Amino acid sequence: MAEGNLMRQIPKVDSLLAMSCLSGHSNATQAAREELELLREGIRAGTISAIPSMEELAERVLARLEQEEIPSLRPVINGTGVILHTNLGRACLSEAAVEAVAKAARGYSTLEYNVEKGSRGSRHDHVASLICRITGAEAACVVNNNAAAVLLVLSALTKGKEVVISRGELVEIGGSFRVPEVMEQGGAILREVGTTNKTHLSDYAAAITPETGALLKVHTSNYRILGFTETPSLAEVVELAHENGLPAIEDLGSGALTSLEPYGIWDEPCVQSSMEAGADVVTFSGDKLLGGPQAGIIIGKKRYIEAVKKHPFARAMRIDKMTLAALEATLRQYLDPAKTREIPVVAMLSAEAEKLREKAEGLFTAIGEIPGTEIAVAATEGQVGGGSVPTHTLPSWAVSLLPQKGPEYLEEALRSVNPPIIGRIYKGRFLLDVRTLFERDFSHIAESLHKVLE
Ligand SMILES: *Cc1c(COP(=O)(O)O)cnc(C)c1O
């Protein structure tokens, strides 16, 4: 049919809005206009040769309205087995932390108010003593994230001074956070020593001059140099720094508050050991291995922490009340080992393979049979993620699916359900690793699989 003819058949916005299924939708006008415009474009492009029925058009407007109601930032189901998945929001908060956030957000709070004295208080006080109690530090303060913490510490303590660091620790974290550039932005002068694979204590010693402001250690969270390697321990660097009247600073990155050795992870230091080694200032993340909200935690000797708190950046990087609430609640859980295990990151890290196999069987049973799809429980390997413990894989269990239409089809289809389900394709099969799944989502997973595969 000729283009002009088709154009004349396009219904008026008002007659489309009068369709019964759209009555009661106050914001349908815009959606109806957009749908009709799409029709015009299609006619002009020659891809539409007949005008759909009014019922069909009304359905499309309705679908458009429903789509618009889905929030942009919304939950997803993580079946990747990567615990601290950077793209999926890193650490999931504990129930206690979630409750604390809701309470702080809903009304007024003691954020900067001292109830006993009836006067102004400090927002750092809510968590500082807890952090000191758990880590053994003298003093503590918190900012928005660990990248901010590093920048703030360098700005406050080493501006205009040389900072000595091993060439093996000039890390890029991702999102263009590179240690050399952060040092430059913090006003410090990079003094790199040693080589990529080997740095000796004598290299640090030789670099110390009257211009030196600090010795810096950066934990190579997201990579490991293996083989012919050497680097002095934090304790040795601390001793050298103190002999020269300098502070030893460490960017620990991941910030585990419990030893990961019981979970078979031997090469991830915990915050307490940095304190025991005598570091003057240590920074780490709140939402990596600690399992709390996004935050940067700065701990160490009182005089340095006081200097950090007074720097103007501290105000620009300050943590908000919801984060503080979540952080305090999470830290409290570290005071009691039973409650520590309720922190999702800790629970996921410590889940035993046998328990995960049972969990995978539970999901397998919930899914049941799907005609045309091979479904099995399979052993797999997960990861800590978030740039933490990169060389370590976690033995895990998954439900493995092979639909007739192929694993790529399933991977894409599950991203379009709400909430989306994210898995991964491994050796031609679609895997849902149960380590990072919550049992409360099993019925949604099962229903979605039937919906997209049948
Ligand atoms: C992750 C990490 C950072 C950045 O921490 P964020 O909390 O993501 O800002 C900095 N340094 C190291 C060594 C890290 O591992």
Side-chain angles (χ1 to χ4, degrees):
M1 200 185 289
E3 189 181 314
N5 258 342
L6 276 173
M7 284 291 187
R8 276 191 290 279
Q9 284 179 32
I10 293 178
K12 295 259 173 316
V13 175
D14 284 342
S15 46
L16 188 52
L17 290 175
M19 295 294 288
S20 61
C21 74
L22 293 178
S23 69
H25 280 274
S26 52
N27 47 358
T29 317
Q30 180 66 17
R33 282 209 183 102
E34 284 167 9
E35 203 49 54
L36 295 181
E37 184 50 36
L38 203 65
L39 216 51
R40 272 181 216 108
E41 278 170 23
I43 294 170
R44 266 181 238 121
T47 53
I48 291 176
S49 56
I51 303 291
S53 69
M54 285 295 272
E55 287 74 21
E56 167 64 24
L57 283 172
E59 282 302 320
R60 289 187 194 175
V61 173
L62 203 59
R64 196 176 267 270
L65 283 170
E66 276 165 13
Q67 197 62 32
E68 278 170 7
E69 271 166 23
I70 299 176
S72 172
L73 177 60
R74 61 190 158 125
V76 300
I77 289 162
N78 178 8
T80 65
V82 180
I83 300 174
L84 299 170
H85 199 300
T86 307
N87 301 148
L88 304 184
R90 284 201 194 158
C92 305
L93 293 182
S94 66
E95 288 305 320
V98 170
E99 251 172 62
V101 172
K103 279 189 187 156
R106 200 171 283 130
Y108 299 104
S109 63
T110 56
L111 181 63
E112 289 188 355
Y113 188 69
N114 184 321
V115 192
E116 287 79 40
K117 295 185 187 149
S119 61
R120 191 196 162 114
S122 156
R123 69 175 65 209
H124 294 288
D125 290 351
H126 302 292
V127 291
S129 60
L130 267 173
I131 296 170
C132 292
R133 196 163 143 199
I134 296 163
T135 62
E138 249 177 57
C141 72
V142 251
V143 290
N144 254 326
N145 52 47
N146 187 39
V150 176
L151 181 59
L152 173 58
V153 165
L154 292 174
S155 306
L157 305 180
T158 66
K159 194 173 172 72
K161 298 272 190 170
E162 289 187 359
V163 172
V164 183
I165 180 170
S166 162
R167 287 198 167 86
E169 297 177 6
L170 295 172
V171 183
E172 173 174 314
I173 302 304
S176 75
F177 180 90
R178 293 172 153 189
V179 168
E181 285 156 24
V182 173
M183 290 174 72
E184 192 184 313
Q185 291 300 321
I189 300 149
L190 174 69
R191 187 78 175 79
E192 44 187 296
V193 297
T195 61
T196 304
N197 58 328
K198 281 206 170 199
T199 302
H200 306 282
L201 193 63
S202 57
D203 294 323
Y204 286 85
I208 296 175
T209 70
E211 300 308 313
T212 309
L215 305 189
L216 176 65
K217 288 279 282 177
V218 176
H219 176 48
T220 58
S221 318
N222 55 8
Y223 69 98
R224 295 285 185 268
I225 297 175
L226 303 174
F228 189 59
T229 67
E230 191 176 320
T231 186
S233 70
L234 176 63
E236 290 171 303
V237 172
V238 167
E239 197 185 338
L240 177 67
H242 292 177
E243 280 166 13
N244 290 278
L246 296 167
I249 302 170
E250 184 181 37
D251 173 18
L252 200 47
S254 316
L257 289 185
T258 53
S259 167
L260 302 184
E261 286 175 14
Y263 320 135
I265 299 170
W266 303 92
D267 56 351
E268 185 62 33
C270 64
V271 178
Q272 289 85 342
S273 45
S274 294
M275 284 293 102
E276 279 159 23
D280 297 282
V281 180
V282 175
T283 69
F284 55 96
S285 278
D287 60 342
K288 287 186 183 169
L289 292 170
L290 191 153
Q294 178 189 302
I297 301 171
I298 307 169
I299 59 173
K301 304 272 158 64
K302 198 161 182 211
R303 66 175 190 281
Y304 296 120
I305 301 300
E306 286 306 316
V308 163
K309 280 201 221 168
K310 284 200 193 95
H311 192 276
F313 277 178
R315 172 65 175 76
M317 297 166 174
R318 80 177 180 185
I319 186 169
D320 81 300
K321 61 183 175 183
M322 290 184 279
T323 310
L324 264 176
L327 187 59
E328 180 180 1
T330 309
L331 289 168
R332 281 186 190 279
Q333 290 182 267
Y334 277 96
L335 302 177
D336 173 353
K339 294 213 169 107
T340 310
R341 284 191 292 273
E342 289 170 11
I343 299 170
V345 169
V346 177
M348 288 176 189
L349 264 175
S350 61
E352 288 161 13
E354 184 51 29
K355 283 269 176 322
L356 291 171
R357 191 176 61 80
E358 286 168 22
K359 193 172 165 186
E361 274 162 10
L363 177 59
F364 176 80
T365 308
I367 297 168
E369 279 183 29
I370 302 176
T373 300
E374 279 176 39
I375 313 177
V377 166
T380 182
E381 282 181 338
Q383 281 170 24
V384 177
S388 301
V389 208
T391 49
H392 197 87
T393 53
L394 303 163
S396 192
W397 286 83
V399 168
S400 132
L401 297 112
L402 181 58
Q404 250 156 19
K405 290 182 179 168
E408 287 81 11
Y409 166 81
L410 182 56
E411 191 270 338
E412 195 182 325
L414 286 180
R415 277 192 278 114
S416 71
V417 301
N418 191 28
I421 300 165
I422 316 294
R424 69 194 169 91
I425 297 169
Y426 182 70
K427 293 195 177 162
R429 283 173 190 262
F430 180 79
L431 299 186
L432 288 171
D433 187 327
V434 295
R435 185 186 291 273
T436 48
L437 293 179
F438 294 101
E439 261 154 32
R440 59 175 187 253
D441 294 324
F442 281 10
S443 59
H444 168 66
I445 296 172
E447 279 164 27
S448 303
L449 282 168
H450 283 272
K451 190 174 125 196
V452 304
L453 292 174
E454 276 169 13

